[in-house]
Amino acid sequence: MAYSGDPVLADDLLLRPKHSIIDQSLHADLGGGITTNGDGFGIGWYDDVDGDGKRGAPAVFKSTHPAWNDENLREVATRIRTPLLFAHVRASSGTPVQRSNCHPFRYGNWLWMHNGSLAGFPEVRRDLLMAVDPSLYPKLVGTTDTETLFFLALTFGLTDDPPAAVARAVGLVENVGRRHGVEYPVHMTVATTDGETTWIFRYSSEKATSSLFYSNRVSQLRDLYPEMDVFDRLSADARFIVSEPLRDLPGAWTEVPEGSWAFVRGSEHDIQQFQPTVPA
């Protein structure tokens, strides 16, 4: 889950929705057969703008405990007020359950999180890591396919052009995977942000990607559900990006199409086709 808008308490984002990210850690409805995400969790958030009108580097809080059973998360969530929050609950695809493998991952003022997997990762990991820029390599701290994909995107220019960089990173993974006999190398929904804009991606090599949604404009939600005062407490530019809707409210959510990327910045958003490219 990602939120952007006027500053709100993390507690309102993480714990209060009917089908919150914490509830999804126990009861995922659209997880492709994975209903429990108990291999750790993480949140990343930004403070409000500083004196220069810019947001600094994000903070992260991670744990290997299940999100539904971590008292520290419930404690800190009542103290964090943020205009942009990332939250992720993890089901390991084979790498160890350790704090350094929990999402979101951070580099400078960027955050990155991912649902899915890079197929055959133990076999392709060495080749993929060899493609990471040498200046970035020392910043890798975990062993996951997600962090590897993040650093490949950074290598290919994430901070300058996120859609092009992710397309090149995914193209490389598919190329390397198929050289190793992996039929469908990539399965991903990705969210990444620089603290101002959030970019999201939904793509898989087999064209059967996990679900991804964003919330519609708050003004539209207020018109649809005038009895729900929760929408009155959200700013006009508030947006949620979720793997699964936080509540079953027809008209409140738009599904990101298969093979697409989108950006969300304030009330602005746009969806484009996503096509991997093989780096030269």
Side-chain angles (χ1 to χ4, degrees):
M1 184 207 74
Y3 164 82
S4 61
D6 280 357
V8 297
L9 279 175
D11 182 69
D12 290 334
L13 303 173
L14 299 173
L15 300 169
R16 298 191 183 279
K18 183 175 181 180
H19 191 43
S20 69
I21 191 73
I22 306 303
D23 181 66
Q24 291 176 40
S25 68
L26 268 170
H27 309 292
D29 296 329
L30 304 175
I34 299 175
T35 58
T36 303
N37 297 271
D39 295 329
F41 69 86
I43 60 174
W45 70 96
Y46 296 80
D47 293 331
D48 210 354
V49 294
D50 59 23
D52 296 326
K54 297 181 179 180
R55 291 177 185 157
V60 295
F61 174 73
K62 303 181 183 185
S63 172
T64 57
H65 294 165
W68 68 80
N69 193 35
D70 192 286
E71 293 183 3
N72 289 327
L73 175 61
R74 296 177 182 274
E75 180 74 19
V76 301
T78 63
R79 300 293 188 267
I80 296 169
R81 184 176 293 275
T82 177
L84 201 163
L85 179 136
F86 271 27
H88 186 275
V89 290
R90 182 173 186 241
S92 172
S93 58
T95 49
V97 178
Q98 59 193 44
R99 184 186 180 279
S100 59
N101 284 344
C102 293
H103 314 210
F105 296 94
R106 174 179 58 185
Y107 177 82
N109 63 323
W110 286 78
L111 290 174
W112 174 282
M113 58 187 178
H114 162 229
N115 280 348
S117 62
L118 304 185
F121 184 60
E123 289 73 34
V124 303
R125 181 171 182 262
R126 180 182 180 277
D127 287 357
L128 296 181
L129 290 176
M130 292 294 288
V132 172
D133 188 284
S135 67
L136 294 171
Y137 189 87
K139 302 295 185 181
L140 281 156
V141 295
T143 60
T144 62
D145 51 356
T146 296
E147 189 181 20
T148 299
L149 186 61
F150 180 27
F151 274 74
L152 287 172
L154 287 166
T155 297
F156 293 130
L158 180 71
T159 59
D160 297 320
D161 188 342
V166 175
R168 293 178 71 193
V170 171
L172 174 72
V173 173
E174 288 193 322
N175 190 40
V176 170
R178 285 166 180 155
R179 290 205 316 260
H180 285 264
V182 179
E183 185 177 8
Y184 300 122
V186 177
H187 187 112
M188 69 174 203
T189 57
V190 163
T192 188
T193 183
D194 61 358
E196 301 292 339
T197 303
T198 299
W199 290 265
I200 54 178
F201 302 82
R202 184 185 182 198
Y203 175 82
S204 61
S205 306
E206 71 272 36
K207 308 298 187 288
T209 314
S210 301
S211 56
L212 185 64
F213 302 83
Y214 63 84
S215 61
N216 294 325
R217 295 182 186 275
V218 171
S219 59
Q220 179 180 341
L221 304 185
R222 290 171 180 163
D223 290 342
L224 284 171
Y225 300 99
E227 73 283 2
M228 296 190 64
D229 60 0
V230 63
F231 296 133
D232 294 328
R233 298 196 297 270
L234 294 174
S235 59
D237 63 349
R239 293 280 185 171
F240 291 87
I241 298 162
V242 294
S243 295
E244 301 186 7
L246 303 179
R247 293 192 64 158
D248 184 14
L249 297 174
W253 304 96
T254 294
E255 185 170 10
V256 178
E258 173 73 39
S260 299
W261 68 268
F263 79 84
V264 175
R265 181 185 175 97
S267 59
E268 301 176 66
H269 73 278
D270 189 31
I271 299 177
Q272 300 285 339
Q273 183 179 7
F274 178 78
Q275 183 63 48
T277 58
V278 178

